[in-house]
Amino acid sequence: MNEFLSEEIPFNDIPHDHILAVKICKGFRPKISEHIPKFLVDLIMKCWDAKAENRPIAKELYQTLKKLDESYDYYSQMWEYEGKIEEKKFKNSSNGNNSISIKTHPQAIYTSRLLSFKNLPEPVNSSDLTSFQVNSVSANLISECFDYLTEINQEENDLNDEP
């Protein structure tokens, strides 16, 4: 989601090796573009949780996005996001930079492969909130808000499942 919205390849400028694996286990995450709407930042951060059981499953993502799609806030934030992206593209084209040239590190490999690193640390979430665009809101608050939205969706599902 972050790569698609930011149009930036994660970790493209560093080797994909044991050092990167350790950094990711210790909470290193790609930078989230400042233009991405807050509700999508919340989803991205939730999907990046170090504990797999805390990450939303596809059904939860679908329900959350469906609920957001029905809200005015969603459309206003997406409208603002699209405006910023168009502005960024316009600035690049007016500077003569019509195509973005991405230089990828020779050891940045984006194909599936088995990595058998030994002695990796236990995964943790990032403590460096500077990599996240959170609009001056703490990551804990964002997580709590998203957890609450997930609870609401679950309660609605339970009501719909009742005979």
Side-chain angles (χ1 to χ4, degrees):
M1 191 179 338
N2 186 53
E3 181 178 355
F4 176 78
L5 293 168
S6 68
E7 299 179 349
E8 294 177 14
I9 300 169
F11 310 127
N12 70 306
D13 56 346
I14 55 177
H16 294 187
D17 57 9
H18 184 269
I19 295 169
L20 177 59
V22 169
K23 285 181 177 181
I24 291 171
C25 286
K26 290 184 175 185
F28 183 57
R29 301 291 186 268
K31 183 164 177 55
I32 296 177
S33 172
E34 64 187 77
H35 302 301
I36 296 176
K38 182 190 169 305
F39 66 89
L40 292 175
V41 171
D42 296 349
L43 281 175
I44 291 167
M45 290 174 62
K46 189 76 172 177
C47 290
W48 284 348
D49 198 291
K51 294 183 180 180
E53 61 270 15
N54 292 342
R55 297 178 208 141
I57 60 172
K59 184 177 180 180
E60 290 171 299
L61 287 173
Y62 171 78
Q63 291 169 340
T64 300
L65 290 170
K66 184 177 176 187
K67 188 159 208 87
L68 288 168
D69 185 45
E70 297 166 358
S71 74
Y72 171 77
D73 192 42
Y74 167 84
Y75 287 102
S76 64
Q77 287 187 42
M78 288 306 291
W79 184 265
E80 185 178 337
Y81 166 72
E82 289 173 9
K84 288 177 182 176
I85 293 302
E86 289 302 316
E87 183 180 316
K88 183 178 170 183
K89 287 179 181 178
F90 178 75
K91 284 180 183 176
N92 284 340
S93 66
S94 61
N95 291 340
N97 186 10
N98 291 333
S99 64
I100 298 171
S101 176
I102 299 171
K103 293 184 180 176
T104 304
H105 192 282
Q107 291 176 312
I109 301 168
Y110 291 94
T111 57
S112 296
R113 59 194 169 121
L114 178 61
L115 302 173
S116 56
F117 299 134
K118 301 205 181 331
N119 302 321
L120 288 176
E122 200 61 35
V124 297
N125 289 322
S126 178
S127 59
D128 175 19
L129 298 180
T130 60
S131 65
F132 302 124
Q133 172 266 353
V134 292
N135 297 336
S136 303
V137 178
S138 76
N140 287 339
L141 180 59
I142 289 171
S143 180
E144 289 169 16
C145 292
F146 188 84
D147 289 341
Y148 180 71
L149 181 58
T150 303
E151 284 178 35
I152 291 171
N153 286 339
Q154 187 58 46
E155 288 173 9
E156 287 177 358
N157 289 340
D158 292 344
L159 290 173
N160 292 335
D161 291 342
E162 291 180 7

